[in-house]
Amino acid sequence: EVQLVESGGGLVQPGRSLKLSCLASGFTFSNYGMNWIRQAPGKGLEWVASISSSSSYIYYADTVKGRFTISRDNAKNTLYLQMTSLRSEDTALYYCARRNNNYGFAYWGQGTLVTVSS
Amino acid sequence: DIVMTQTPSSQAVSAGEKVTMSCKSSQSLLYSENKKNYLAWYQQKPGQSPKLLISWASTRESGVPDRFIGSGSGTDFTLTISSVQAEDLAVYYCEQYYDTPYTFGAGTKLELK
C-alpha cells in the first residue's frame, strides 16, 4: 500500500525558513516523480513543485520560484521542500503527492500545516 | 499558464438528482500525438486529502462508482454524477497536467438542498 507521510510543518515568522519532509513507503520511491501541492485554509489546491525520479527535472510554481527548493533522497525514500523567505500567503496545508500511471495525483499524504505569522 | 475555470462554484442538490459541473481550460488539453486530454477530476471531503476520480478526462479510477462520468475534449470538460448520493457531498476540482505549471480549477462545492 502506498503511504506518504509529511512532517516538518509548524508556526514560523515571516521571512524565516522551514523544511518539510515526506516519507514514502509501499512503492519503489526511486522510480517515481514526486510533487508538493498546497491548500490555504478554506481555499483550493495549488501545485507547488515537482521533481523527477532522478532529480533531473525540477519545476516550480511562479509563486514560490526562487524561495522554495524541492529535493529528494532516494536512499531514504524521502521528499523534501526547503522553504525560505516565507510570507503570510504561504500559510497552507502542504501535501506530498504522486501520480499514477494514468497521470492523475492518485496518492496523497495527510498534509502538514505551515502557518506563517508573527 | 493554463487557467482552469470551474462552474458553478457551488450547487445545492438533492439525493438521487443528476448533477453536472463544468471545467474550461484557457487552452486545449488534447495532445495530438496520443489523442488524450490531460485532465483529471478530484473529490475532496472536509478534513480529507483529495481523491482522484477520473484521469484522461473520462477514465474512471479503480473503485470509483460508475455514477461518476467524465466527458469533454479540448477546452470544455464536464463531470456528471448520474444520481447523487449523500456521500458525494464534497468539493470537486479539475486539474490540467498538459503542461507545467499544473493548475487546478477553484472547485465546485456540492451542498445538500
Side-chain angles (χ1 to χ4, degrees):
Chain A
E1 179 195 4
V2 172
Q3 284 202 308
L4 301 171
V5 180
E6 303 93 338
S7 60
L11 175 63
V12 61
Q13 292 179 328
R16 304 298 289 262
S17 300
L18 201 62
K19 188 172 186 176
L20 307 183
S21 300
C22 170
L23 179 61
S25 61
F27 65 103
T28 304
F29 182 70
S30 59
N31 286 352
Y32 291 88
M34 296 294 296
N35 302 265
W36 288 100
I37 296 166
R38 68 184 180 183
Q39 186 168 35
K43 302 297 184 182
L45 301 167
E46 181 188 15
W47 169 80
V48 172
S50 293
I51 185 169
S52 62
S53 57
S54 61
S55 305
S56 298
Y57 301 97
I58 289 175
Y59 305 97
Y60 297 99
D62 285 346
T63 51
V64 307
K65 200 174 294 182
R67 300 187 300 122
F68 289 12
T69 302
I70 189 172
S71 63
R72 62 191 296 160
D73 185 334
N74 286 344
K76 294 183 177 179
N77 290 345
T78 303
L79 175 72
Y80 302 102
L81 186 67
Q82 176 69 55
M83 304 184 294
T84 64
S85 303
L86 282 161
R87 307 166 180 167
S88 58
E89 54 265 38
D90 295 319
T91 294
L93 187 63
Y94 283 73
Y95 293 104
C96 167
R98 199 206 93 184
R99 295 191 182 278
N100 65 2
N101 291 339
N102 282 332
Y103 282 67
F105 288 118
Y107 306 102
W108 299 70
Q110 83 290 349
T112 187
L113 182 62
V114 173
T115 303
V116 183
S117 174
S118 54
Chain B
D1 297 3
I2 300 175
V3 176
M4 305 299 289
T5 302
Q6 287 188 248
T7 55
S9 55
S10 66
Q11 191 169 2
V13 300
S14 301
E17 218 177 294
K18 178 181 176 180
V19 169
T20 61
M21 60 191 78
S22 170
C23 174
K24 294 184 188 296
S25 58
S26 60
Q27 66 185 72
S28 178
L29 304 183
L30 178 62
Y31 188 45
S32 56
E33 293 201 10
N34 60 11
K35 301 291 188 286
K36 289 191 171 187
N37 287 281
Y38 284 57
L39 187 283
W41 288 97
Y42 302 85
Q43 175 193 66
Q44 187 177 33
K45 298 180 180 179
Q48 296 185 15
S49 302
K51 175 186 176 182
L52 176 65
L53 297 177
I54 288 170
S55 300
W56 304 123
S58 60
T59 300
R60 204 179 298 115
E61 289 297 306
S62 175
V64 173
D66 58 9
R67 63 180 181 271
F68 291 93
I69 302 161
S71 61
S73 184
T75 61
D76 290 352
F77 302 91
T78 300
L79 177 66
T80 300
I81 308 175
S82 58
S83 177
V84 168
Q85 306 301 302
E87 61 263 30
D88 301 336
L89 299 180
V91 180
Y92 293 83
Y93 296 97
C94 59
E95 179 232 350
Q96 67 80 18
Y97 47 95
Y98 185 90
D99 195 11
T100 56
Y102 306 121
T103 46
F104 292 86
T108 292
K109 184 175 184 179
L110 286 191
E111 301 171 304
L112 200 58
K113 192 178 289 182

